[in-house]
């Protein structure tokens, strides 16, 4: 019987046949597909003909199709619907994939062919996209260690394999801590919690098999608890567990893993001739250097810290007025900030949340894409990897564009956070293929499901990534969609968040869950007026994390990352009542893989651009201005990594932006 992962998928849009795939299929399919890719690579490297773009670079683009099919399915379910079998498979696959990648990078015959083409590039009559792919391929091999010899070559392979193992262990330890901890609540402990938070706690208790409501470490449950519970003792207990993820001792402790990862990254960079890992990692980003990153972050840090300290003084007074003496603590901040928001802006999240129904916010994100880019969405009835998942066909002018999958609800087997991935990227070579894009979130279930304003912003953010994938229009999959510089990839997602705050969008789609009535104009004005509320806190917790990440990778790797973290925060004068958004033991952006290592700053780098980019629509006098939307698609969303990021942005805006629009947008300077 043919393994369904390796068969031709005679399904709508060639989607994975999830209803026929079992966990037992993954290992044999992986081994067979891996062997096939190895054979394809060997055939390219040993080709009898002289190297050409077609028989080398395009052959590499074509190779690995079976392996991509298997891994696209596996990693989708491993991240969003894990179980012990899938976790074991991931521990098995990760070092094998790292070794395979290292073998390709170190293939001297293959690299010789690529190098020959690179040196002869001016005589090859390549178009602009082909020249870009050749450059990126050559650069990727060099940065992967293809030019290393002897002991250095062998050591690079060892480092890559070990990093893959450690990244998987870090992720699974974090998932275990998040999955296993919960705090039962007695009925009296629900006092002060709004209905949506009570419903979420009861649903979480049912999922955990508890006898009553519980608080879990899912952000969509613990944050509302910290916002609304008057029980300071319970807030402290919940916050302590949240802050301790990955640092609880025992088998799931990530601190030693983080230290080893940092040491190996430094060694890897030095093998390639760089002074430190940050120099290596940032070379291909827009920022280019650690100094440029630090300059941006510190430019934002000073006004953010000043605002946070002023806010802390107000919240401390409120706490003392409640009869709670002493200093404001991290488990107090959200509670008193919520009370302050209600008092100063007359905006109560409990009253706001019924207007932010998940279904209506999905519809809003789709409607904005329709008005901006002419996209249409039709729900599909197809098998997916979990009953919570939904799928839509995306069309434009009747033509197929993409398939979009939404997986919105928190559950025990799903890692925390929110993300976008492509099970299949857009390409025209070796054949035309439309992308299959997934947004994964961790919203609390409910009847109906209600979102916080932050949740709604997250939904729009991830859909912005999805649009980057869906509107891609390049030839080669290796440069399609979000295959761009890390500090550019967040531009489309953060830019799309702005449309949530367009008054006409909220006026139409923010409707009450029970009455269906639109959000009252007075409330709408309060929502928009409070958009920058508590930005001192939000900016400080983010920038602190980004500066710690940079310090970890700039210079010698710290033997004790926790001591280094403490040192950096002390030098910054970190406000005592604010913690890093992601402390080291649960900093998955940085330690689950290399993606955001030395690169957590990229959200803010992109925010500099997104604030400036939305001003283009404001200058046009219409958030849906067709000419500006067309330019955004042409120069940013459709181009993938076919052109350097700074050139793409300059084509769209005519110049590169400064930090002023970001500070203004966050309310950290006078507008």
């Amino acid at each position: 019987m043919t393994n369904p992962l390796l068969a031709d998928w005679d399904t709508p849009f060639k989607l994975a046949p999830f209803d026929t795939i079992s966990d037992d299929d993954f290992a044999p399919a992986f081994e067979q597909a891996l062997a096939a890719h190895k054979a394809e690579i060997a055939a390219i490297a040993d080709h009898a003909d002289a190297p050409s773009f077609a028989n080398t670079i395009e052959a590499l683009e074509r190779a690995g199709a079976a392996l991509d099919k298997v891994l696209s399915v596996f990693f989708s379910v491993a991240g969003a619907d894990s179980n012990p079998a899938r976790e074991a498979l991931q521990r098995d696959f990760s070092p094998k994939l790292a070794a395979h990648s290292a073998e390709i990078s170190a293939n001297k015959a293959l690299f010789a062919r690529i190098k020959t083409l690179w040196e002869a590039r001016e005589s090859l009559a390549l178009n602009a996209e082909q020249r870009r792919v050749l450059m990126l391929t050559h650069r990727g091999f060099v940065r992967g260690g293809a030019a290393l010899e002897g002991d250095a070559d062998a050591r690079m392979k060892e480092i890559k394999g070990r990093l893959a193992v450690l990244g998987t262990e870090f992720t699974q330890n974090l998932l275990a801590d998040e999955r296993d901890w919960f705090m039962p609540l007695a009925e009296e402990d629900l006092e002060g919690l709004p209905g949506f938070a009570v419903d979420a706690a009861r649903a979480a208790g049912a999922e955990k098999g508890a006898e009553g409501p519980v608080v879990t470490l899912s952000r969509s449950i613990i944050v509302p608890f910290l916002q609304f519970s008057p029980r300071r003792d319970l807030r402290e207990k919940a916050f302590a567990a949240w802050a301790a993820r990955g640092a609880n001792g025992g088998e799931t402790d990530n601190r030693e893993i983080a230290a080893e990862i940092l040491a190996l990254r430094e060694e890897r960079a030095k093998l390639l001739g760089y002074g430190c890992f940050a120099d290596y990692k940032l070379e291909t980003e827009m920022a280019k250097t650690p100094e440029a990153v630090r300059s941006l972050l510190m430019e934002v840090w000073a006004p953010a810290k000043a605002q946070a300290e002023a806010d802390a003084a107000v919240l401390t007074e409120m706490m003392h007025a409640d009869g709670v003496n002493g200093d404001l603590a991290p488990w107090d901040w959200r509670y008193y900030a919520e009370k302050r928001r209600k008092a100063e802006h007359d905006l109560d999240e409990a009253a706001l949340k019924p207007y932010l129904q998940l279904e209506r916010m999905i519809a809003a994100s789709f409607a904005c894409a329709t008005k901006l880019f002419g996209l249409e969405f039709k729900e599909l009835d197809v098998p997916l990897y979990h009953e919570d998942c939904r799928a839509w066909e995306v069309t434009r002018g009747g033509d197929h564009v993409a398939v979009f999958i939404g997986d919105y609800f928190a559950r025990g087997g799903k890692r925390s956070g929110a993300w976008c991935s492509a099970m299949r990227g857009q390409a025209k070579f070796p054949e035309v293929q439309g992308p299959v894009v997934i947004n994964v979130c961790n919203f609390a279930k409910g009847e109906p499901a209600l979102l916080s304003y932050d949740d709604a912003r997250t939904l729009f953010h991830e859909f912005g990534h999805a649009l980057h994938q869906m509107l891609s229009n390049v030839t080669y999959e290796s440069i399609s969609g979000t295959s761009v510089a890390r500090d550019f990839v967040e531009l489309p997602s953060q830019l799309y968040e702005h449309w949530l705050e367009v008054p006409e969008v909220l006026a139409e789609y923010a409707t009450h869950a029970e009455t269906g009535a639109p959000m009252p104009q007075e409330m709408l004005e309060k929502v928009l007026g409070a958009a920058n509320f508590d930005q001192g806190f939000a900016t400080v917790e983010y920038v602190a994390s980004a500066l710690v990440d940079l310090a970890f990778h700039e210079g010698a790797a710290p033997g004790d990352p926790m001591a280094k973290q403490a040192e950096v925060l002390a030098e910054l004068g970190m406000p005592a009542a604010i913690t890093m958004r992601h402390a080291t033991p649960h900093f998955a952006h940085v330690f689950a893989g290399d993606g955001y290592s030395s690169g957590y700053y990229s959200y803010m780098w992109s925010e500099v651009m997104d604030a400036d980019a939305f001003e283009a629509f404001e200058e046009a006098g219409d958030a849906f201005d067709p000419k500006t939307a067309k330019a955004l698609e042409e120069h940013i969303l459709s181009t993938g990594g076919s052109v350097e990021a700074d050139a793409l942005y300059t084509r769209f805006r005519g110049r590169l932006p400064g930090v002023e629009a970001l500070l203004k947008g966050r309310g950290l300077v006078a507008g």
Side-chain angles (χ1 to χ4, degrees):
M1 181 177 177
T2 304
N3 190 308
L5 287 161
L6 298 174
D8 290 332
W9 292 346
D10 184 19
T11 55
F13 311 107
K14 295 187 177 180
L15 294 175
F18 286 104
D19 55 339
T20 68
I21 297 170
S22 75
D23 287 347
D24 292 337
D25 294 320
F26 285 119
F30 172 76
E31 295 296 343
Q32 188 173 334
L34 186 66
H37 193 214
K38 288 182 177 182
E40 290 168 334
I41 294 299
I44 298 168
D46 300 335
H47 201 290
D49 294 344
S52 68
F53 189 83
N55 70 24
T56 303
I57 305 302
E58 288 190 332
L60 285 170
E61 292 282 329
R62 187 186 294 111
L67 187 58
D68 288 343
K69 279 177 64 174
V70 174
L71 294 179
S72 71
V73 176
F74 175 72
F75 283 114
S76 292
V77 300
D81 191 31
S82 192
N83 60 33
R86 292 168 187 172
E87 290 179 7
L89 287 167
Q90 194 169 4
R91 290 192 295 272
D92 180 47
F93 291 176
S94 292
K96 291 179 179 178
L97 284 170
H100 178 53
S101 175
E103 286 172 9
I104 295 173
S105 296
N107 188 312
K108 304 307 179 187
L110 179 58
F111 179 57
R113 296 180 69 87
I114 295 168
K115 186 177 180 182
T116 296
L117 292 171
W118 174 245
E119 291 173 346
R121 60 191 179 278
E122 299 302 331
S123 64
L124 297 180
L126 303 178
N127 64 35
E129 189 173 329
Q130 289 171 329
R131 289 196 299 272
R132 177 72 173 170
V133 171
L134 174 57
M135 185 280 289
L136 291 172
T137 303
H138 178 261
R139 186 176 76 181
F141 269 75
V142 171
R143 287 170 58 81
L148 297 178
E149 301 285 351
D151 291 344
D153 187 20
R155 180 57 182 158
M156 180 64 78
K157 291 178 183 177
E158 292 174 357
I159 289 171
K160 289 181 177 179
R162 182 60 180 159
L163 283 171
V165 170
L166 293 170
T168 298
E169 288 181 0
F170 189 98
T171 302
Q172 293 187 352
N173 288 346
L174 179 55
L175 177 60
D177 279 4
E178 292 174 341
R179 180 182 56 217
D180 295 345
W181 187 92
F182 62 89
M183 181 174 70
L185 297 175
E187 288 300 314
E188 58 268 24
D189 297 335
L190 301 174
E191 178 192 351
L193 299 182
F196 73 83
V198 173
D199 291 344
R202 293 194 191 282
E207 199 232 349
K208 295 293 185 186
E211 295 182 359
V214 304
V215 174
T216 72
L217 297 181
S218 168
R219 181 174 286 270
S220 61
I221 291 177
I222 193 168
V223 169
F225 184 79
L226 293 170
Q227 282 179 300
F228 294 104
S229 175
R231 288 284 303 278
R232 192 177 192 230
D233 58 332
L234 296 182
R235 294 200 312 267
E236 181 177 3
K237 182 178 179 182
F239 186 89
W242 199 31
R245 291 170 292 157
N248 287 303
E251 294 182 355
T252 63
D253 197 294
N254 277 332
R255 287 171 287 191
E256 290 186 6
I257 292 174
E260 187 176 355
I261 287 173
L262 293 174
L264 290 172
R265 285 176 179 165
E266 181 191 8
E267 185 180 359
R268 177 183 177 186
K270 289 188 172 178
L271 283 173
L272 294 170
Y274 295 88
C276 64
F277 185 81
D279 288 340
Y280 161 76
K281 188 66 184 294
L282 295 172
E283 180 184 48
T284 59
E285 308 298 334
M286 289 185 74
K288 303 299 182 188
T289 67
E291 292 75 21
V293 172
R294 187 176 301 282
S295 176
L296 168 69
L297 294 174
M298 294 309 297
E299 197 168 352
V300 176
W301 174 260
K305 180 186 175 187
Q307 183 63 58
E309 289 174 337
D311 292 340
V314 174
L315 300 184
T316 300
E317 286 186 13
M318 294 173 66
M319 185 178 76
H320 291 170
D322 275 355
V324 180
N325 297 319
D327 296 329
L328 187 75
W331 49 90
D332 297 318
W333 190 292
R334 289 174 175 84
Y335 178 70
Y336 285 100
E338 181 60 31
K339 292 182 72 171
R340 182 186 182 191
R341 180 168 70 161
K342 187 174 181 180
E344 294 185 2
H345 295 275
D346 195 20
L347 186 61
D348 180 357
E349 178 142 329
L352 171 63
K353 206 159 185 176
Y355 290 98
L356 299 176
Q357 301 174 67
L358 173 61
E359 286 300 312
R360 297 296 290 159
M361 291 299 101
I362 293 171
S365 69
F366 289 177
C368 291
T370 301
K371 291 188 72 172
L372 288 164
F373 310 114
L375 300 179
E376 300 288 344
F377 300 82
K378 179 182 178 182
E379 192 148 13
L380 298 170
D381 183 12
V382 292
L384 297 167
Y385 60 82
H386 192 277
E387 61 184 10
D388 286 344
C389 297
R390 301 161 64 184
W392 293 263
E393 182 189 10
V394 186
T395 59
R396 180 157 58 180
D399 295 329
H400 177 77
V401 173
V403 171
F404 174 69
I405 298 171
D407 179 2
Y408 295 109
F409 296 120
R411 53 180 172 268
K414 182 187 285 188
R415 63 181 170 90
S416 61
W419 64 93
C420 175
S421 60
M423 293 191 67
R424 183 172 68 230
Q426 177 272 330
K428 301 174 187 175
F429 177 89
E431 60 184 14
V432 174
Q433 63 183 37
V436 177
V437 187
I438 305 178
N439 275 179
V440 183
C441 300
N442 270 284
F443 304 141
K445 275 190 173 181
E447 294 296 338
L450 304 178
L451 305 183
S452 67
Y453 197 72
D454 188 53
D455 287 338
R457 187 180 288 112
T458 295
L459 186 147
F460 268 69
H461 178 102
E462 297 306 333
F463 194 69
H465 281 310
L467 287 171
H468 201 181
Q469 296 276 16
M470 293 190 286
L471 291 173
S472 178
N473 184 25
V474 298
T475 301
Y476 301 103
E477 188 173 355
S478 65
I479 57 168
S480 73
T482 57
S483 299
V484 299
R486 181 65 63 177
D487 50 11
F488 190 70
V489 76
E490 298 297 337
L491 168 59
S493 54
Q494 293 178 184
L495 175 59
Y496 204 66
E497 293 178 29
H498 288 272
W499 275 275
L500 174 62
E501 297 181 354
V502 173
E504 65 191 84
V505 174
L506 284 174
E508 181 173 358
Y509 290 96
T511 57
H512 198 279
E514 295 178 3
T515 67
M519 182 183 291
Q521 182 64 29
E522 183 182 12
M523 180 178 285
L524 174 60
E525 291 172 359
K526 290 174 182 175
V527 168
L528 297 176
N532 287 324
F533 180 74
D534 214 23
Q535 277 299 309
F537 170 88
T539 307
V540 162
E541 66 165 6
Y542 165 77
V543 174
S545 297
L547 285 166
V548 168
D549 166 41
L550 184 64
F552 279 162
H553 297 98
E554 188 181 17
D560 183 348
M562 299 305 294
K564 184 65 173 180
Q565 172 184 299
E567 175 189 322
V568 173
L569 297 181
E571 289 176 354
L572 288 171
M574 183 76 168
I578 305 178
T579 60
M580 292 168 62
R581 184 172 179 84
H582 303 289
T584 299
H586 53 261
F587 208 162
H589 280 79
V590 171
F591 293 107
D594 272 359
Y596 283 89
S597 54
S598 298
Y600 193 61
Y601 77 91
S602 59
Y603 289 93
M604 186 143 287
W605 192 275
S606 293
E607 190 177 343
V608 170
M609 290 182 285
D610 84 63
D612 179 71
F614 193 71
E615 283 192 347
F617 287 89
E618 294 176 330
E619 290 163 7
D622 180 5
F624 296 97
D625 177 62
K627 183 178 178 181
T628 310
K630 183 179 180 181
L632 177 64
E633 179 178 353
E634 178 182 352
H635 298 305
I636 304 293
L637 298 176
S638 69
T639 49
S642 61
V643 179
E644 287 289 339
D646 53 357
L648 290 175
Y649 192 85
T650 302
R651 289 178 188 179
F652 170 62
R653 201 67 170 103
R655 52 166 174 72
L656 290 174
V659 75
E660 297 79 15
L662 177 149
L663 294 173
K664 178 183 173 184
R666 286 191 171 229
L668 299 177
V669 295

